[in-house]
Amino acid sequence: MKKSRVKIGSLKNINLDNNICVKGWVRTKRQGKNVTFISLNDGSTINSLQVVLDMQKFKIELIEKINTGSSVEFSGNLIKSQGKIQNYELDATEFVLLGESDVGKYPIQPKKHSLEFLRDVAHLRPRTNTFSAIFRIRHAVIFSIHKFFNDKGFVNIHTPIITSSDTEGAGEMFRVTSLDLDNIKNNKVDFNKDFFSKEVNLTVSGQLNAELGALALSEVYTFGPTFRAENSNTSRHLAEFWMVEPEIAFYDIIDNMNLAEDILKYIISYVIKNCFDDLEFLQNREIDDEKNLPQIQRNEKPLIERLKKILNTAFERITYTEAFNILRNSKPNKKGKFKYKADEWGMDFQSEHERFLVEKHFKKPVIVIDYPKNIKAFYMRVNDDNSTVSAMDVLFPSVGEIIGGSQREERLSVLKERMNEMNLSEKDLNWYLDTRRFGTVVHSGFGLGLERLMQFITGMKNIRDVIPFPRTPGNCNY
Ligand code: 4AD
Ligand code: MG
């Protein structure tokens, strides 16, 4: 009879002295004279199961075939452990080697590897404690986002991945084509002959389509992959990342800020409640990693305390102009410590400025609103001063900008004027303008970068380590 498999993560709910069957991959093996200890993991928990093999019961040649990386099915009795770390272990009575692993060739040895090395074996890194913890947390974050919106009556809208519009107007898009690029005559591309009979790209944001949804269903959100061809090789940028974008009719910028603060707190509290073991593992890993760093480069507080602090803090809310004045009068600015000097109103904030505001000045998350209109997208609502727009960026410790959003320009004439100023074609966006022609309403929304949030929640310093298969300039493997 086929044995039913128990997940290692559910063993804590099973009574001792029960006969069970587990399957997984071997993390480590310690072969002794009388017993062999195997640490088995199936990805359901950070806590691997210790399997004890009595050498008298099994042929040594068979035991020798079990190596780090091999997959094995074990059956036996769940017994109280004599070790100090775990409460129970498996006293194996039978095993089947499901898949061998050549000990000399398996890239992930039972030792600590650098994150850089593991990026080069991203196809196998989910088998490490660090990455299995990160991907379980990523799942919990995604699930909590859907739950948050579902409980509030939002409708999830799938917005297109292939699009002919450039929402952010930054022109950092990946072209999608079915043309035979090797045979373009005279270097002239005739897009009429392309698949869609026009120029199309991978989307940088689902917002414009989400707005169509909001102006019919009132509360919607889109949650999908977005693509940016910006050549920034930083620890916070990916060419392919996931963004959750709520869009809400009848919301002004204050409602928008409240929603942003609520969802961030909700997700973090959900992860603390549901992924505590994984967070604890990542916290210890970070403490261990930082041991050799000078005090100034270490995190002031352990990971879980940093997360809990967010829950108990009201985010600071300030205008761009207030933020600019703080930066201009700041010590690092006066001492020339910023790479980009804060000296001219209208400048865009760099990550160093955002982090100064959050980490040094306010020591809590900061929401900056009312940015100069010249550095923001066409769809943001123009303020009465006619020089700023009702934009909103949420800035977080260690990652900087985690959310970008705004109240949208609902007045047709003002929106058209802005598009003109920015050389955007009215014809191409006629469908979008129709929402302002027919039954326009005040509305707002924002985009939350999933991987930036994941960086904050897991404490990972590089964004490449919080997405299973990172795409960055010069790197598109697996
Ligand atoms: O500020 P952004 O560009 O805003 C928009 O795209 C709006 N249309 C969203 C909206 O209002 N519906 O991007 C939103 C967020 C950023 O705050 C950041 O967290 C993340 O997306 N983000 C990136 N994450 C990883 N890699 C990149 N290259 C990113 N660019 C933006
Ligand atoms: Mg932004």
Side-chain angles (χ1 to χ4, degrees), residues 167-168 204-205 207 228 230 236-239 241 243 245-247 379 393 401-406 408 445-449 451-452 463:
T167 309
E168 292 308 296
V204 296
S205 155
Q207 178 198 322
R228 301 211 179 166
E230 49 192 334
R236 305 178 324 129
H237 287 90
L238 289 165
F241 62 99
M243 196 180 351
E245 298 179 89
E247 194 67 38
Y379 52 73
D393 277 7
E401 183 195 330
I402 202 162
I403 282 180
S406 75
R408 315 307 189 191
F446 59 79
L448 163 61
E451 287 78 16
R452 297 259 175 101
I463 198 162

